[in-house]
């Protein structure tokens, strides 16, 4: 079978990219290995809205309860960030069913291996019933997250973090998510309120090797015992199943676009779980990646522009999320000399999470932007807090607005010239006024 685009990886990033490309009228095949390990995550309202616009009804129906995350940090307890609980095994399966329902080809693979061939790609492997399969395509999207091969020495890595997780049964029947710091790391707990809970601890594997598999349960119990709050979370619950281990440190792939391939989601840039909502970041990367793929297929002469757009987007998003994580780590002051906290309170740098908008004068530059599902070059407003530039605010082109302001007799005539509503115009003007690009009048 031959397709325009092959996607290997069937998580949120892979499915979102597939659905978006299908709407752009590309033939897409998704090759996915069903998730095996237990995992519960929190889904933000923004991430849910993205999935809703993509028509992911089954994924939406698989979501659990909405909760307010509780934080135990630096000796204080607070509540913030509403999130919806997600059982990743059920959620990922529902996403693939949404893709099938919208007519996409989905292959549930037991083994899968992509190979560059004849200027394109082929994925060969075996399906769940051990039947061999082979699909070919012009372009490959790597969406296997942190499991994606090839990062090697070229990837930029932050402090080495390992997540150890274990499922507990018989825990208090209260839906919740919570985080708590302890001397050697931090813990995250999630429960759907069904008497089962998942406890994860995040530690620094660069400070010492993990014990062998037979000793993992005891090691995990020792770490969990350092988490004072875990007693309340787990109650009289008992551990069930094995301890799972996965990498959880920040990793950035510097060249996410290859000759006929692109990395999206965690395969392009994976951030520390403390930095923000991983699913939302993966979805954003996937949608941007889909536009880049569309550009590569329909406007191959714009390859350099599309590559620059995506590479810059991934790099700056990675830096922003890492700085957000650094700021949160730095808030924990109880163990400043502990290796775990010392390494993370200063990485990746000391730059502010958000640059002050008035640090330097704004400029107008020609930069790559997204327009009609293609990457094109347009004049944008570049400011310290928006270094990639802003093309439009409320669908109002900012540079065109600046060019028309002087000759317009009223806001009404200005809105008419730009073919936007007064509300849209007022939003764009407020953005320019805040950055002191126009007067307050």
């Amino acid at each position: 079978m031959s397709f325009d685009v092959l996607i290997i990886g069937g998580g949120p990033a892979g499915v979102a990219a597939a659905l978006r490309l299908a709407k752009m009228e590309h033939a897409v095949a998704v090759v996915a290995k069903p998730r095996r390990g237990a995992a519960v995550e929190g889904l933000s309202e923004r991430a849910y809205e993205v999935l809703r616009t993509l028509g992911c009804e089954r994924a939406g129906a698989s979501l659990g309860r909405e909760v307010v995350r509780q934080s135990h940090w630096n000796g204080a307890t607070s509540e913030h960030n509403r999130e919806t609980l997600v059982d990743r095994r059920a959620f990922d399966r529902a996403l693939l069913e949404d893709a099938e329902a919208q007519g996409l080809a989905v292959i549930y693979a037991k083994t899968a291996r992509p190979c560059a061939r004849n200027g394109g790609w082929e994925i060969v492997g075996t399906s769940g019933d051990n039947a061999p399969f082979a699909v070919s395509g012009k372009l490959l999207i790597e969406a296997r997250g942190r499991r994606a091969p090839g990062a090697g020495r070229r990837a930029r890595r932050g402090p080495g973090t390992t997540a150890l997780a274990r499922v507990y049964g018989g825990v208090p029947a209260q839906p919740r998510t919570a985080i708590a710091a302890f001397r050697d790391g931090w813990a995250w707990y999630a429960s759907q309120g069904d008497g089962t809970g998942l406890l994860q601890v995040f530690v620094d594997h660069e400070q010492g090797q993990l014990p062998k598999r037979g000793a993992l349960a005891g090691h995990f119990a020792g770490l969990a015992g350092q988490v004072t709050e875990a007693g309340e979370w787990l109650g009289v619950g008992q551990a069930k199943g094995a301890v799972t281990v996965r990498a959880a440190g920040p990793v950035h792939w510097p060249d996410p676009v290859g000759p006929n391939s692109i990395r999206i989601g965690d395969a392009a840039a994976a951030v520390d779980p403390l930095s923000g909502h991983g699913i939302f970041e993966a979805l954003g990367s996937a949608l941007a990646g889909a536009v880049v793929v569309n550009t590569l297929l329909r406007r191959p002469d714009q390859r350099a522009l599309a590559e620059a757009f995506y590479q810059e987007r991934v790099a700056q998003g990675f830096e922003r999320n890492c700085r957000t994580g650094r700021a949160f780590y730095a808030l924990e002051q109880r163990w400043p000399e502990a290796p775990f906290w010392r390494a993370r309170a200063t990485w990746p740098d000391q730059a502010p999470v958000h640059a002050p908008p008035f640090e330097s004068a704004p400029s107008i530059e020609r930069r790559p932007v997204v327009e009609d599902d293609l990457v094109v070059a347009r004049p944008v407003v570049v400011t310290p807090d928006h270094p990639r530039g802003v093309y439009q605010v409320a669908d109002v082109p900012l540079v065109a607005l600046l060019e028309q302001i002087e000759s317009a007799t009223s806001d009404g005539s200005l809105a008419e010239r730009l073919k936007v509503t007064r509300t849209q115009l007022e939003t764009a003007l407020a953005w320019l006024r805040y950055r002191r690009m126009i007067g307050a009048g």
Side-chain angles (χ1 to χ4, degrees), residues 292-313:
V292 171
V293 168
N294 188 48
T295 305
L296 296 177
L297 292 174
R298 301 202 191 281
R299 301 271 183 88
D301 58 311
Q302 297 298 311
R303 165 174 286 275
L305 191 69
E307 285 184 4
F309 164 80
Y310 190 66
Q311 186 168 350
E312 187 176 35
R313 186 193 187 282

Side-chain angles (χ1 to χ4, degrees), residues 189-409:
Y189 176 76
S191 174
Q192 298 268 22
D194 59 357
T196 300
L198 180 70
L199 177 65
Q200 293 189 77
V201 292
F202 298 84
V203 295
D204 194 329
H205 66 243
E206 294 178 347
Q207 304 301 322
Q209 294 294 321
L210 288 173
K212 293 182 179 179
R213 183 172 297 275
L216 267 179
H219 181 66
F220 182 86
L223 292 170
Q226 296 184 50
V227 185
T228 305
E229 295 78 10
E232 176 195 349
W233 300 342
L234 301 173
V236 297
Q238 297 295 313
K240 49 190 285 190
V243 175
T244 61
V245 181
R246 65 180 178 87
V251 183
H252 171 223
W253 178 251
D255 303 307
V257 184
N260 293 295
S261 65
I262 183 172
R263 301 170 75 97
I264 64 172
D266 282 359
V271 298
D272 189 300
L274 197 61
S275 302
H277 296 283
I279 294 178
F280 177 74
E281 295 297 333
L283 292 172
S285 168
L287 298 183
V291 171
V292 171
V293 168
N294 188 48
T295 305
L296 296 177
L297 292 174
R298 301 202 191 281
R299 301 271 183 88
D301 58 311
Q302 297 298 311
R303 165 174 286 275
L305 191 69
E307 285 184 4
F309 164 80
Y310 190 66
Q311 186 168 350
E312 187 176 35
R313 186 193 187 282
V314 171
Q316 290 191 8
F318 179 76
E319 293 284 354
R320 182 187 67 253
N321 280 294
C322 288
R323 288 168 182 158
T324 299
R326 177 205 66 203
F328 201 39
Y329 278 117
L331 290 175
E332 179 52 79
Q333 296 288 314
R334 287 176 290 178
W335 309 284
E337 298 306 315
F340 180 91
W341 298 98
R342 187 172 65 244
R344 289 158 180 76
T346 57
W347 194 90
D349 51 33
Q350 292 301 313
V353 177
H354 300 289
F358 315 118
E359 189 174 54
S360 60
S363 62
I364 295 176
E365 302 177 21
R366 197 168 180 82
R367 293 282 188 89
V369 302
V370 176
E371 186 176 85
D372 298 328
D373 293 330
L374 294 166
V375 179
V376 297
R378 294 287 184 266
V380 301
V381 175
V382 178
T383 64
D385 56 332
H386 292 283
R388 289 174 50 225
V390 178
Y391 175 37
Q392 296 178 325
V393 171
D395 292 327
V396 180
L398 293 178
V399 175
L401 172 57
L402 288 168
E403 291 172 347
Q404 295 285 340
I405 284 177
E406 292 296 328
S407 59
T409 57

Side-chain angles (χ1 to χ4, degrees), residues 34-48:
R35 177 182 284 268
R36 290 185 297 177
V40 179
E41 295 184 29
L43 186 77
S44 68
E45 179 63 28
R46 294 186 302 169
Y48 174 73

Side-chain angles (χ1 to χ4, degrees), residues 48 51 55-63 90-102:
Y48 174 73
L51 293 171
C56 296
E57 297 179 359
R58 291 163 181 79
S62 76
L63 301 180
F91 179 68
D92 286 9
R93 182 62 187 238
L95 283 171
L96 292 168
E97 291 172 356
D98 280 321
E100 290 180 296
Q102 295 190 40

